Amino acid sequence: MIRNEFAAAGIDDPMLREAYRRCREINAAHGRTFFLATRLLAPDQRPAVHALYGFARYADDILDEFDPTLDTAARARQLQLLADQFFARAEHPGDPVLTAVGHTVARYGIADELFEDFLRSMRMDLSVTDYADRAALEEYMRGSAEAIGLQLLPILGTVTAPEEAAPHAAALGRAFQLTNFLRDVDEDLLRDRVYLPADELAVHGVDRDLLMWCHHNQHTDSRVRKALQAQHEIARRTYRYAAEGIAMLAPRSRPCVATAMQLYSEILDCIEESDFAIFRRRATVGTRRRIQVAGAGLIHAWRARSHAAAVPGAA
């Protein structure tokens, strides 16, 4: 199956195939929902998406992987080295992730500024632990979430001008991250981070101390519940706007994006159904449900690819 992906994508060089294979392994191991949705893409699209995921995971691990020998300065140096190697566009025989993502960027003409934005937000995670308002948080998400959606857009393809689809692609990345922020409040507190705007929390009488109280007691205070409900509605609105862009994508890419959107938005359902008990358990979509949604998406993806094969120019 992997060989079919490489052949479809025109990846013949053995070293390059091995680089993409490693990125696929990283995606399969760490991006359960994302990897499942990726299976709905056409074979020629999948290696590039795996490469982008591998690079993003590479940077994320520098920031969050537990290693008592690495202080903030050491992590900053590692992140800078990653940036230098990426932008040097040199061969990286010892680093399959950089090899694969470099090939993907060149093949699809993905703008360097999207990676600059991404890496800038990763640097923010080294020192920024709170966000005073929505504008500050959105500045962070511009690189950490929106840039990812925009990196994927050339691979997904569009039936409209790319700049028309771009705001919706960026919004989808933002919606996914807003979902993560809600789901992971408890986990992020352990990393000394709060990814919810402080001024919006304060409207409901919530601050970091109250969030820590909820963490220690595994209980969602009523004030925190109201604050989370408000953040929940913002995420819902973001999904609704992002959904308007699905019809702008190439038909063969729509089932993948629609499936990913449905599965991720159902995390919001799980949070709501638990009455925002995010300090007691992590909201997840069950395996049976993920398979059910992905199965329906697979049928749509097969039909879209069959139609594209039968009608030239329909992809």
Side-chain angles (χ1 to χ4, degrees), residues 33 134 137 140-141 144-146 170-188 195-197 228-240 242 259-272 274 276 278 281-285:
T33 298
R134 179 68 51 179
L137 184 64
Y140 171 75
M141 288 194 292
S144 63
E146 295 181 11
L172 184 58
R174 192 165 66 251
F176 288 168
Q177 190 160 60
L178 289 171
T179 302
N180 287 343
F181 290 160
L182 280 166
R183 181 193 62 191
D184 297 337
V185 169
D186 195 56
E187 182 179 329
D188 289 333
Y195 290 106
L196 303 175
L228 294 176
Q229 287 170 337
Q231 298 299 313
H232 187 275
E233 179 51 34
I234 291 171
R236 289 289 194 200
R237 289 201 303 268
T238 307
Y239 274 109
R240 288 194 289 270
T259 297
M261 183 180 296
Q262 182 172 351
L263 287 173
Y264 243 86
S265 66
E266 286 190 12
I267 295 174
L268 293 180
D269 296 341
C270 294
I271 293 172
E272 190 170 30
S274 75
F276 296 87
I278 59 172
R281 61 180 178 272
R282 193 172 192 260
T284 59
V285 177

Side-chain angles (χ1 to χ4, degrees), residues 24-60:
R24 185 183 188 277
E25 291 172 353
I26 293 171
N27 194 351
H30 299 286
R32 292 194 312 166
T33 298
F34 187 80
F35 181 77
L36 188 62
T38 301
R39 302 302 303 153
L40 306 185
L41 290 172
D44 66 288
Q45 295 173 298
R46 296 172 198 161
V49 174
H50 295 322
L52 292 176
Y53 181 92
F55 182 78
R57 183 74 197 191
Y58 210 6
D60 192 59

Side-chain angles (χ1 to χ4, degrees), residues 8-212:
I11 302 170
D12 301 318
D13 180 82
M15 186 182 77
L16 200 53
R17 285 190 170 199
E18 185 56 37
Y20 277 107
R21 182 180 289 107
R22 176 56 186 148
C23 291
R24 185 183 188 277
E25 291 172 353
I26 293 171
N27 194 351
H30 299 286
R32 292 194 312 166
T33 298
F34 187 80
F35 181 77
L36 188 62
T38 301
R39 302 302 303 153
L40 306 185
L41 290 172
D44 66 288
Q45 295 173 298
R46 296 172 198 161
V49 174
H50 295 322
L52 292 176
Y53 181 92
F55 182 78
R57 183 74 197 191
Y58 210 6
D60 192 59
D61 283 347
I62 291 174
L63 296 169
D64 291 333
E65 188 173 26
F66 177 74
D67 185 342
T69 67
L70 289 179
D71 57 14
T72 299
R75 293 180 193 274
R77 288 193 296 272
Q78 285 193 358
L79 203 56
Q80 186 59 52
L81 177 61
L82 176 64
D84 292 343
Q85 291 175 326
F86 172 80
F87 290 115
R89 293 292 193 273
E91 292 290 333
H92 300 283
D95 196 315
V97 173
L98 287 171
T99 296
V101 77
H103 181 264
T104 290
V105 168
R107 176 177 181 177
Y108 288 95
I110 303 174
D112 274 358
E113 67 185 45
L114 296 176
F115 293 90
E116 292 168 355
D117 289 344
F118 170 72
L119 290 165
R120 181 165 54 250
S121 290
M122 295 304 97
R123 292 187 189 97
M124 290 173 67
D125 268 331
L126 292 171
S127 58
V128 180
T129 59
D130 299 87
Y131 293 86
D133 51 32
R134 179 68 51 179
L137 184 64
E138 288 184 346
E139 174 63 22
Y140 171 75
M141 288 194 292
R142 186 162 69 90
S144 63
E146 295 181 11
I148 304 298
L150 294 172
Q151 288 170 14
L152 287 167
L153 197 56
I155 301 167
L156 299 175
T158 63
V159 294
T160 65
E163 55 268 24
E164 185 178 350
H168 301 282
L172 184 58
R174 192 165 66 251
F176 288 168
Q177 190 160 60
L178 289 171
T179 302
N180 287 343
F181 290 160
L182 280 166
R183 181 193 62 191
D184 297 337
V185 169
D186 195 56
E187 182 179 329
D188 289 333
L189 284 169
L190 294 177
R191 296 192 178 104
D192 194 34
R193 298 175 190 160
V194 176
Y195 290 106
L196 303 175
D199 62 339
E200 295 176 18
L201 295 180
V203 168
H204 301 278
V206 176
D207 58 15
R208 178 185 279 266
D209 289 341
L210 183 55
L211 292 175
M212 287 303 301

